[in-house]
Structure formats: C-alpha cells, structure tokens
Amino acid sequence: MDGTLRRGALTTRTLAQGRGSRRLDVLRTSPHPAYVVWELTLACDHACRHCGSRAAQARPHELTTADALDVVRQLGAMGTREVVLIGGEAYLHDGFLDIIRALRAEGIQPSMTTGGFGVTRELAEAMADAGLQLASVSVDGLEATHDRQRARAGSYRGALAALAHLRDVGIATASNINVNRLNLGELEPLYDVLRGAGVRAWQVQITAPLGRAADRPEMLLQPWDLLELVPRLVALKRRAKADGIDVWPGNNLGYFGPEEGALRSADPDDASEHWRGCQAGKFVLGIESDGAVKGCPSLLTASYVGGHLGERTLASIWDESPELAFARGPRKLWGYCAECAYAEPCQGGCSFTAHAVLGRPGNNPLCYHRARVYRRQGLRERLVPTEAAEGRPFDHGLYRVELEPFDAPDPVAPPRELVRIGRKPRFPEPGKR
C-alpha cells in the first residue's frame, strides 16, 4: 500500500491530469502546505443549517485583495500545489478573479467549492477566463431536502444551473455532499441526478457537529448509521466507475472496515490504499478570511489557529506554531482509539470531527470499524449532547458516548423546524461580487 494524499472531489489532480499523476507520497515527502483550502470571505448567499463556519455575513476584518495577492506569493514560495477557494461564497470577495489569476501565475492549481446560487453564465465565463480549473458544487439531497438544509428556496435549482454553466464554459465539475439524517436515504437518486449533470467526481462526507450543525444534534448521524452508509457508498463507487465518475469519501468517513480499500482507492477493484491519519498541518492548510491560519479548514478556530497573516508570514506560522504541528508526530490517543488494532496507521481518524464530538482529538466514535466491532457484540454507541455550542464560526458543543443494546429503540425526534436562530441574515445579491 502506498502513502499518497488524495483529497477527493475537490482535487484537480485526478480530474484534469489523469489518475495517478502528481500524487503526493505522504510517507516520503517533507511537510509543506501542498493542499490549501482558503476561505476568501464569510459573506454568503445562503445560511446553511449544517454550516460549520456559520457563514452569512463577512467577518469584521477580512483580507483585502492586496493582502490576498501577497498570500498567493507566499504559497507559491512554499510549494503549494492546489488552492481550493471557499467561503461563505468565494465569488463574493472583490478580488476573487484576481486571486485565481495570481494562483495560475504562481503555477498553483485553482479550484473552488461553491453552493452555486450566484454562478451565472457570465460569472462562469469570467472564472474560466481567469483560469479556474475545477468547481465542486454542493448538492445536499434532492430538491426539497437540499433547499431545507440550505435554508433557501431555489437553492437546488441554482446548484444544478451552476453545474450546467460551469460545464458549458469548460470548467471541470464535481459535486460534494454532507450526509446526515435528512438526506441519508437519497444518495442513490441523487447520484443519478449528478451523473445526468455531467459531474466528473463526487465527494461524500458526514456532517460534523460544528457551527450550525452543532445546534441541531437530531440531524446528525449516529455511529451505527455508518453500518448502512459505507457499504452503500462503495456500491455507488462501483457504479460510478462504469460511468467514468470518481467517488471519494471525505476525511471523516470510513476507517478500516472490510470496504476500506475500495472506499479509498482510485479503483474500487484495486483496493490498495487505506486511511493514513490526519494530514492537517502536514500537507494540508486552512486559511480563514481574516488571515487566521490553521492546519485544516474545518478545525475548530478557538483551538487550532497558529497565527494570523499580516501579523506573521505564512512560513513562520507553518514552521513555528505548535497548533499546526499537532499531527506531524504520533498522536495522543485515548478511549477506544488508544486500544484499537488500527491505532498506529489511523491515529484516531479525523481530528476536527473527534474534537467537535468529545472536546479533544484522539478518540473518534464516528468510525465504521468501531461500529462493526460493537455490532458483533450486540451493542452500539449513542452520542448524547451534553453542552450547546456558543454560536461562533467553527464552534462546537459536547457529547457523551453511551453504550446500549444494538436493537435499542431510537427515540430521536424528527429534525426540528430548522429555522434560523436570531436575526435573519442579510444575503448579498445573487452573483454580486
């Protein structure tokens, strides 16, 4: 098995250059920010009910275009291969197109993840002219479910329209989904929709209890839901292979069940790869719109920011901040993960997901292997919320893990009316940058 870094539907390496090219050997390469996810602004034309960053309004002090262009130069000097532009909505930053051009000039592959609501034909053309190579459009279920989760009527149709506009101007298109109890039953028909829309890749991750999702624990998967999800996803991956579509698990999905190789390998019939631990701060970097730097874009801001651009150089933050270096050596595992047979290669699974559930990394109950072990014992783990989140971007509450009979009743109420908490967000105008 080789130690290579893949980032699923968001990466252009398998889409634009063919499978296997430019793959990063994480066992033999020195740590550097090879793959960067950059939140250009927290302004958004949605206020999604699962959003970890609670996006809607811009942060008080976001990087200007001039600031951002300087960051691009620093990324180029540090050997960055690809930058995924996100938000909020990245296209709502005034310098969006200039930043894409600058990334191309530095030899960095620019891509983006978007809800797509404001991606008009004109904007898609401008993005293609600037040099964008890939756009992954988030589609979180069929129409009613997607619009409910995204808290905006017409969001689903806007996303599909964006896929069409992007495809028509020559930008490679992918899609991604946050799986939870709202949309768990819709994966197969949604795949059919995305195949019809011409996507070349699909990334599936599970909704973690961050941000607004932390306010809605009843919509989140329980550990035993993975026993259904993972085999279904592998079956879809096999279907997708015949359709010429790459299906990838997000970094918080799976871990060392019998489908692990098929789940993480480019070819599900090859099955030669497996999860090799959290790459945050090793080959992955996250930048928030105010210049905060952390090892992964989804890591909790309060615990993992190593410094701010404008106050320090990116190189000094990368080299000197312990907040970014936490995954560069053996991890401190605890609980079930400390005794697991896969502890050494796995290193406790996804750091931000484990921290969002139990308040620190190193013990991740949202693990397919772990759920299978308990199932064989006639047991399952239930996540019970004990502390609410505070209401800030990338915040979290706390849970306790309760062990119960596998066939115990599941008295989870239907997801509450998912109304916004507090004042109604003021959305930017669609397509306005």
Side-chain angles (χ1 to χ4, degrees), residues 392-413:
R392 296 178 296 179
F394 296 107
D395 64 348
H396 68 103
L398 287 176
Y399 290 74
R400 69 173 182 268
V401 180
E402 294 185 354
L403 204 58
E404 64 185 20
F406 189 84
D407 58 357
D410 184 18
V412 176

Side-chain angles (χ1 to χ4, degrees), residues 204-206 223 226-227 229-231 233-234 249-260 263-264 275 346 349-350 364-372:
V204 181
Q205 63 185 39
I206 61 175
L226 299 174
L227 299 173
L229 172 58
V230 171
L233 182 57
V234 171
N251 288 341
N252 69 353
L253 175 60
Y255 315 126
F256 295 103
E259 295 90 351
E260 174 72 6
L263 195 64
R264 299 199 186 275
W275 169 256
C346 184
C350 174
N364 183 9
L366 288 165
C367 167
Y368 181 50
H369 165 72
R370 181 166 167 169
R372 283 175 50 83

Side-chain angles (χ1 to χ4, degrees), residues 4-8 13-14 20 23 248 251 264 266 273:
T4 54
L5 176 62
R6 291 187 176 273
R7 295 293 295 179
R13 288 188 289 280
T14 55
R23 291 169 63 198
W248 296 106
N251 288 341
R264 299 199 186 275
E273 295 190 21

Side-chain angles (χ1 to χ4, degrees), residues 95-113:
F96 172 60
L97 297 175
D98 291 332
I99 293 165
I100 293 173
R101 294 187 190 98
L103 289 167
R104 288 299 304 271
E106 288 286 344
I108 300 171
Q109 295 175 344
S111 60
M112 73 178 296
T113 300

Side-chain angles (χ1 to χ4, degrees), residues 40-41 63 65 90-99 432-433:
L40 289 186
T41 178
L63 296 180
T65 299
Y91 56 69
L92 295 174
H93 189 282
D94 290 340
F96 172 60
L97 297 175
D98 291 332
I99 293 165
K432 184 178 180 180
R433 301 192 304 280

